[in-house]
Amino acid sequence: MDVFSADWMSFILTGLGTLFLFGELLVNRRGFFGIIGLGFITIYFLSFLAPGAFVLMMVIYLIGLLLIIIDGKFLNDGTLATIGAVCMILSIGLSSPNWTAGLYGIIGVVIGGFCSLLFLKVFKRREMWSKLALVDQLTSEKGYNSMNETYASLVGREAITVTDMRPVGTIRVDGEDYSAVTNGQWIPRETAVRVVQVDGTKILVSKNKQ
């Protein structure tokens, strides 16, 4: 264990451990990356800690990892993931015999975490991260559309104002009522108007020219 107890080995062990553990979270390698990563982290803790402290720091580290998993699986807002990352870094730093080894270890965690993103270039991303990082292009060909198609079809259609437009009000198109707005005009109810623009679900109308 003398080699593993060297200060610079903190960087290697925590870097590789974080690389493969985070890699397992990002891509599905059927637990293989997770086992490798956990092995490196275990060697790191065993190199510096007594058995009692080893258990404590390992639990803190794994709790941090669990919080990251929960965030990616259920919340996707980054809050628990941030807390989890802090727990992991603290467990690494507090386990070090001196500030040099601790600094090496923390740098290893940070660099290993960032380098794990490279696995996304090679392996398929886990579905649990699809909400947090949407990688698909939002195109009509893939089933997405930034404008509601029903509202978009109203452009150029004639309508009747159901309420006074001041400048917001309600219009009726073929028996269907829609909330609409004018371009600063005040138009009384039961006036013929035309839909001139639709932005999402915002309908802009203007008074028909006589």
Side-chain angles (χ1 to χ4, degrees), residues 101-179:
L103 183 60
Y104 275 130
I106 292 173
I107 293 175
V109 171
V110 174
I111 293 180
F114 278 109
C115 288
S116 66
L117 297 175
L118 296 176
F119 287 130
L120 297 174
K121 301 290 185 180
V122 182
F123 305 106
K124 183 180 179 181
R125 179 192 298 265
R126 281 188 183 272
E127 294 297 327
M128 62 184 284
W129 301 107
S130 59
K131 296 179 182 178
L132 187 62
L134 184 61
V135 294
D136 292 336
Q137 290 183 325
L138 303 182
T139 61
S140 298
E141 291 77 8
K142 292 189 177 182
Y144 299 99
N145 199 325
S146 60
M147 181 182 291
N148 186 299
E149 293 183 358
T150 300
Y151 280 71
S153 65
L154 297 176
V155 176
R157 302 277 294 278
E158 292 188 352
I160 295 293
T161 57
V162 178
T163 64
D164 293 336
M165 308 291 292
R166 304 182 177 178
V168 180
T170 303
I171 63 172
R172 181 168 295 158
V173 182
D174 293 338
E176 294 289 336
D177 290 351
Y178 300 90
S179 178

Side-chain angles (χ1 to χ4, degrees), residues 17-27 65 68 88 112-113 116 119:
T18 306
L19 172 70
F20 286 104
L21 282 174
F22 278 26
E24 183 64 40
L25 298 182
L26 294 173
V27 299
L65 189 63
I68 294 175
M88 296 173 71
S116 66
F119 287 130

